[in-house]
Amino acid sequence: MAAKIPEVTQISESDLVRLTQEARQEATPTFGKIIWREFKNNRLALTSLVLVITFILFVIIAALFINTPKMMTTNIMDYYSKPFNKNFILGADSGGRSIAKQLIVGSRNSICIAIGLTVISSTWGICWGMISGYFGGKVDLVMQRVYDFMMILPMLMTIIVIVTIIPTYNSVTLTLILSVFYWMGTSRLIRSRVLAESQKDYVAASKTSGTSNWKIIFREIMPNISSLIIVDTTLSFAENIGVETGLSYLGFGLPLGTPSLGTLIANANDPENITTYWWTWLPAALEIIILCLAISYIGQAFRHATNASQQ
Amino acid sequence: MSLLEVRNLKVHYPIRGGFWNRIVDVVKAVDGINFSIEQGQTYGLVGESGSGKSTTGKTIVGLERPTSGQIFYQGQEVQQNKLRNSVDYQRNVQMIFQDSLSSLNPQKRILDIIAEPLRNFQNLTADQEKLRVLQLLDIVGLSADSLYKYPRQFSGGQRQRIGIARAVATNPKLIIADEPVSALDLSVQAQILNFMKKIQRELNISYLFISHDLGVVRHMCQQIAIMHRGRLVEVGTRDDIYNHPQHIYTKRLLAAIPETNVNSRQEHRQKRLEVERIYNEQQAKYYDSNGAAFALQPVSMTHFVALAPTD
């Protein structure tokens, strides 16, 4: 008769606490600690992180105190009011509307859409890529044909058409419409890594240990491509700010009366505005540049940290 | 009744080609092999690379799908298409991989790696689980400090012992050892092999020991099967194979064992060349027109050789 494992060793329950204690002292730092250390040593990334978080919190909270319909009413007396006066810190536009307030509410709208878009499209893209890459064969074939179909659609044109025909059109539906078209890049990127990763022996070992396919995908493989996921997500967040902004700039973004970074930049359509009334578009443009730069610095620090933990 | 019996196992891979992606040919990785493993025994499966020995191991453990053939576990047929879902079989047949680094998930701590089969097959509390892992670490000669470390922090030999601990965790009856020491240097090889033998004695485990190293196989196995081009060419006890080889391929493999005696270097060289010459000349006597080995013929009670049918 085969002996059981407890009969072969000296270790029993009485040693458990002591040995656990010993092991804890020797434990390797966790992922969170490694990231914290990376940010502490990387001043630029830390500054960027603080800047982005405080800015996002500021615009979300400040926007709650601004009455948007009242702000957006035209006031002919303040036509192109100059900046740095006591009523308008950043001046006013052709409708006499405060640029500073529009910037706050517009940033809130643009950033919230970008966050929503990133969360939905990245989650979808990651799941699509991982399932397609892991199962391979017929599943992969079908899923990749869907991908191909989505890729050949003229994205911008389709979005513009959908935006003009749907009855209820607000920032939520806009986010959902954009999400349908922005998951493909992520899915292809993730799929290529999962294809390589799922051939490794630890996946085979998990299978022989009786772990289910879904658990293998999301608990075994996903941590191993976390650096790719984090970097891709931060960069696509920066990109997604541009998506909504670009669409609003073209006039197909958020409905009229809802300010966004794109509508503010659209002021630059007018050559008069570019030369004379610079305050109508410059703050929004600067904000986007700084925000995207800061996000990419954060992404870089994340990549360093995840690479360090994956060595 | 033997622990595991393999009957006429075939694993063929299709080669697709042509305009309609039709199956134009098949690779016969494993082409009809029979063997059985007794409780507590080490069964050696030897062959050159590409002879199908690893495929055989993977098919038994359920990582590859057999084209045809049957596998009997303790006298009961294992349904091949449900092989991965059969909990009892899964728990009792485990695997040790060749590459110790890639077979351990780099993102998981040792505790989670060894506990993975326990979590899937046994309901233990967190403390019981930790205790079991500590006991397993003790069996394979690792200290409790390893509990919260990552695989990359260990040497090759230590990692292979972690792999063994994981395979042993659920008290299996059979372990498929797929070249467990091929990636290790000689001193560590001996250490790992002795651990495997010790665990076998204590827990009464059977091994299917897959290797191309005849020296290692001689040390480990009582029963040996030589595999070539997907078929068994010679099956017998250790004595049969090493002292009375009958098949030219076995003779050729044995002649390839490196000899350290410098004084008789010329002699060994002559012998090797002689064996090689016979091997090339007598192909027709031992292989059929397609280059496949013949069916096994009994030579003695324990010894079987693939010889041309004598009718």
Side-chain angles (χ1 to χ4, degrees):
Chain A
M1 186 57 216
K4 294 276 179 251
I5 286 157
E7 291 160 26
V8 186
T9 78
Q10 307 284 317
I11 294 178
S12 64
E13 277 169 50
S14 51
D15 305 313
L16 183 62
V17 177
R18 179 178 58 84
L19 289 174
T20 312
Q21 211 82 51
E22 274 177 29
R24 283 217 190 287
Q25 283 167 6
E26 295 285 322
T28 323
T30 56
F31 183 56
K33 269 189 193 154
I34 292 173
I35 284 186
W36 171 237
R37 215 180 288 160
E38 174 69 31
F39 273 102
K40 233 169 45 180
N41 294 332
N42 190 342
R43 291 274 156 220
L44 194 60
L46 190 64
T47 321
S48 305
L49 187 70
V50 172
L51 189 80
V52 169
I53 289 177
T54 38
F55 182 74
I56 291 176
L57 286 179
F58 169 71
V59 293
I60 288 175
I61 293 166
L64 294 175
F65 296 100
I66 294 173
N67 184 344
T68 311
K70 189 167 162 247
M71 175 189 86
M72 294 307 284
T73 49
T74 310
N75 182 359
I76 202 73
M77 297 307 289
D78 296 319
Y79 174 80
Y80 285 125
S81 176
K82 283 231 161 70
F84 310 120
N85 67 29
K86 84 176 185 320
N87 284 332
F88 301 102
I89 299 170
L90 292 175
D93 63 6
S94 60
R97 296 176 288 239
S98 163
I99 295 288
K101 283 181 181 172
Q102 282 193 64
L103 197 63
I104 289 171
V105 178
S107 301
R108 197 266 319 260
N109 290 341
S110 292
I111 288 173
C112 284
I113 288 175
I115 291 175
L117 176 55
T118 310
V119 169
I120 297 172
S121 68
S122 288
T123 310
W124 183 255
I126 288 165
C127 291
W128 194 270
M130 291 190 79
I131 292 167
S132 175
Y134 177 80
F135 287 107
K138 289 207 174 74
V139 178
D140 186 43
L141 195 76
V142 171
M143 290 177 88
Q144 288 312 303
R145 293 301 77 75
V146 174
Y147 164 89
D148 289 343
F149 172 74
M150 294 300 289
M151 281 302 280
I152 57 163
L153 289 181
M155 202 192 311
L156 201 61
M157 294 301 147
T158 321
I159 291 173
I160 288 172
V161 169
I162 297 176
V163 160
T164 48
I165 59 172
I166 61 163
T168 50
Y169 176 53
N170 50 36
S171 53
V172 176
T173 47
L174 179 65
T175 312
L176 291 176
I177 293 166
L178 291 176
S179 302
V180 174
F181 293 94
Y182 278 90
W183 55 269
M184 283 92 81
T186 309
S187 92
R188 205 49 181 260
L189 187 72
I190 298 293
R191 174 181 171 268
S192 67
R193 267 295 291 279
V194 172
L195 275 178
E197 210 66 32
S198 59
Q199 295 305 313
K200 289 192 177 165
D201 276 349
Y202 72 83
V203 175
S206 281
K207 283 181 185 168
T208 61
S209 302
T211 311
S212 69
N213 281 330
W214 297 107
K215 248 187 173 174
I216 291 176
I217 294 176
F218 292 106
R219 301 278 293 279
E220 306 280 326
I221 295 179
M222 200 150 114
N224 281 292
I225 57 168
S226 58
S227 71
L228 188 71
I229 290 177
I230 289 172
V231 172
D232 182 67
T233 308
T234 42
L235 292 182
S236 66
F237 176 58
E239 190 193 315
N240 289 343
I241 294 177
V243 169
E244 187 278 327
T245 321
L247 214 54
S248 298
Y249 175 85
L250 291 175
F252 295 100
L254 289 171
L256 276 175
T258 316
S260 91
L261 292 177
T263 48
L264 282 170
I265 294 175
N267 285 332
N269 278 341
D270 188 344
E272 184 106 357
N273 280 354
I274 292 185
T275 49
T276 322
Y277 310 117
W278 53 267
W279 58 87
T280 52
W281 54 272
L282 193 63
L286 283 178
E287 187 198 315
I288 290 179
I289 292 172
I290 293 170
L291 213 54
C292 288
L293 264 180
I295 290 169
S296 69
Y297 282 130
I298 296 170
Q300 240 169 34
F302 267 124
R303 200 184 58 208
H304 268 215
T306 47
N307 280 347
S309 78
Q310 280 176 14
Q311 268 156 18
Chain B
M1 185 177 64
S2 47
L3 179 68
L4 186 96
E5 194 182 342
V6 173
R7 265 190 224 160
N8 203 21
L9 182 74
K10 288 183 183 171
V11 184
H12 294 179
Y13 297 114
I15 302 172
R16 289 176 185 276
F19 187 68
W20 297 108
N21 211 19
R22 283 163 311 186
I23 298 169
V24 290
D25 203 356
V26 288
V27 176
K28 295 177 176 176
V30 179
D31 194 21
I33 64 170
N34 299 284
F35 62 88
S36 60
I37 303 171
E38 305 298 327
Q39 178 78 50
Q41 189 194 44
T42 306
Y43 196 94
L45 196 56
V46 187
E48 62 189 23
S49 58
S51 60
K53 53 193 196 308
S54 284
T55 311
T56 309
K58 282 183 178 163
T59 312
I60 291 172
V61 89
L63 291 172
E64 298 277 350
R65 224 165 244 210
T67 312
S68 68
Q70 293 154 303
I71 296 170
F72 293 89
Y73 174 73
Q74 292 186 322
Q76 278 193 319
E77 187 175 357
V78 180
Q79 294 296 318
Q80 273 126 12
N81 48 354
K82 295 179 192 148
L83 212 138
R84 278 199 57 205
N85 300 328
S86 156
V87 172
D88 187 44
Y89 184 79
Q90 277 271 284
R91 189 177 61 220
N92 285 314
V93 180
Q94 288 291 323
M95 188 158 181
I96 302 173
F97 293 86
Q98 174 180 7
D99 185 348
S100 58
L101 183 60
S102 83
S103 71
L104 304 175
N105 191 337
Q107 290 290 301
K108 283 169 76 181
R109 292 164 187 274
I110 302 305
L111 172 67
D112 298 318
I113 288 174
I114 298 181
E116 190 181 348
L118 294 173
R119 284 172 191 164
N120 288 326
F121 296 127
Q122 279 163 348
N123 287 320
L124 299 177
T125 64
D127 272 357
Q128 283 175 325
E129 190 181 278
K130 202 182 282 173
L131 179 66
R132 176 60 65 84
V133 173
L134 284 169
Q135 287 170 339
L136 286 162
L137 284 173
D138 183 50
I139 290 177
V140 296
L142 289 169
S143 69
D145 299 348
S146 331
L147 213 54
Y148 295 110
K149 286 183 177 166
Y150 288 96
R152 62 174 184 276
Q153 293 168 291
F154 294 90
S155 71
Q158 287 172 323
R159 279 200 293 262
Q160 198 55 282
R161 282 189 266 162
I162 293 166
I164 294 173
R166 171 175 60 187
V168 175
T170 50
N171 252 326
K173 298 254 174 27
L174 173 69
I175 291 181
I176 315 285
D178 187 2
E179 312 212 16
V181 295
S182 306
L184 305 173
D185 67 55
L186 281 175
S187 58
V188 183
Q189 279 193 7
Q191 190 194 11
I192 296 292
L193 293 173
N194 290 333
F195 261 117
M196 287 177 69
K197 277 193 142 180
K198 180 180 147 237
I199 290 167
Q200 180 171 42
R201 268 199 310 277
E202 284 166 349
L203 301 172
N204 195 23
I205 294 171
S206 310
Y207 289 120
L208 174 64
F209 195 90
I210 299 168
S211 180
H212 57 251
D213 188 335
L214 282 159
V216 168
V217 168
R218 186 177 207 164
H219 178 71
M220 289 294 290
C221 309
Q222 293 91 44
Q223 282 282 325
I224 296 165
I226 310 281
M227 202 167 172
H228 190 214
R229 294 179 192 160
R231 290 198 179 180
L232 297 183
V233 296
E234 192 159 359
V235 176
T237 60
R238 180 165 24 185
D239 179 60
D240 291 334
I241 300 288
Y242 282 90
N243 300 329
H244 313 287
Q246 298 291 318
H247 198 273
I248 47 163
Y249 182 70
T250 316
K251 288 178 188 166
R252 188 164 169 248
L253 272 185
L254 289 170
I257 298 175
E259 195 64 54
T260 45
N261 189 349
V262 188
N263 295 330
S264 51
R265 184 161 48 188
Q266 272 306 319
E267 213 177 295
H268 285 299
R269 193 178 141 74
Q270 283 307 320
K271 205 176 125 203
R272 266 205 300 280
L273 289 175
E274 177 69 12
V275 170
E276 187 65 25
R277 190 180 58 77
I278 295 173
Y279 178 77
N280 287 330
E281 279 174 3
Q282 302 192 350
Q283 287 274 353
K285 211 173 129 192
Y286 289 93
Y287 295 93
D288 66 16
S289 52
N290 295 326
F294 292 111
L296 292 174
Q297 313 280 339
V299 172
S300 72
M301 284 292 282
T302 53
H303 196 174
F304 299 84
V305 184
L307 295 171
T310 50
D311 44 3

